[in-house]
Amino acid sequence: MRPPSVPLLLSAFWLVVGLGGSGPARADDCDGLAGRIAGAMGGKVGRRTGPSIDIRVPGGLKLDLTCRAEPIVQAASAEPTPSAAYFADLALAAEIVIGESAGAVQASIATAHATALKERRKSFIQQNGWSASCYTDTSGSIRTLCSVGRIPPG
């Protein structure tokens, strides 16, 4: 009996981990989404690490777009209460990712952030198939981490 070839083994591996033939297509979709966010915000697409892509926008904010079952955009801040620009920029990026208005997203992020500060725990706001979440830590180097994304089906 002849041992299986390397391409055959790699194909089997990708099928087992659930990527099948959609791996490159998903990467292209994620790269395209990162480009749309950067273009809309006057920013620049940065480094890609696995399913995550850094996006730098004017004002120094760094967004992270992670593409798995559904894309998620997040931003970290060294401030326990970030500037209004932090919330506005994250909301604009989220509008592109989830298709909801930046105003609705920004209100949800603000509520999640206020709850996280008040209750000292991660806070989730779920609406119409998407969610906004914020985590705050008054003692860590990342004081605020908020994210927005579609809730994966199932």
Side-chain angles (χ1 to χ4, degrees), residues 8-137:
L8 181 61
L9 288 173
L10 286 174
S11 296
F13 169 77
W14 289 119
L15 286 171
V16 168
V17 296
L19 295 177
S22 64
R26 284 191 183 186
D28 292 344
D29 291 347
C30 196
D31 290 333
L33 189 56
R36 285 182 43 217
I37 293 168
M41 300 177 75
K44 183 177 178 180
V45 175
R47 187 172 60 138
R48 182 182 187 119
T49 306
S52 298
I53 302 172
D54 292 334
I55 303 166
R56 300 213 181 263
V57 297
L61 182 65
K62 183 184 96 167
L63 299 167
D64 177 74
L65 175 67
T66 301
C67 296
R68 290 199 173 114
E70 294 288 340
I72 297 169
V73 64
Q74 68 180 11
S77 174
E79 302 297 322
T81 303
S83 69
Y86 168 91
F87 293 104
D89 287 347
L90 180 55
L92 180 57
E95 177 178 26
I96 295 165
V97 170
I98 65 170
E100 294 289 330
S101 76
V105 172
Q106 190 167 349
S108 292
I109 297 168
T111 300
H113 179 259
T115 302
L117 276 176
K118 179 180 159 190
E119 297 180 5
R120 298 179 187 225
R121 63 172 179 84
K122 188 170 186 173
S123 175
F124 289 93
I125 306 291
Q126 293 185 352
Q127 297 190 34
N128 303 322
W130 61 275
S131 70
S133 68
C134 286
Y135 169 79
T136 60
D137 180 355

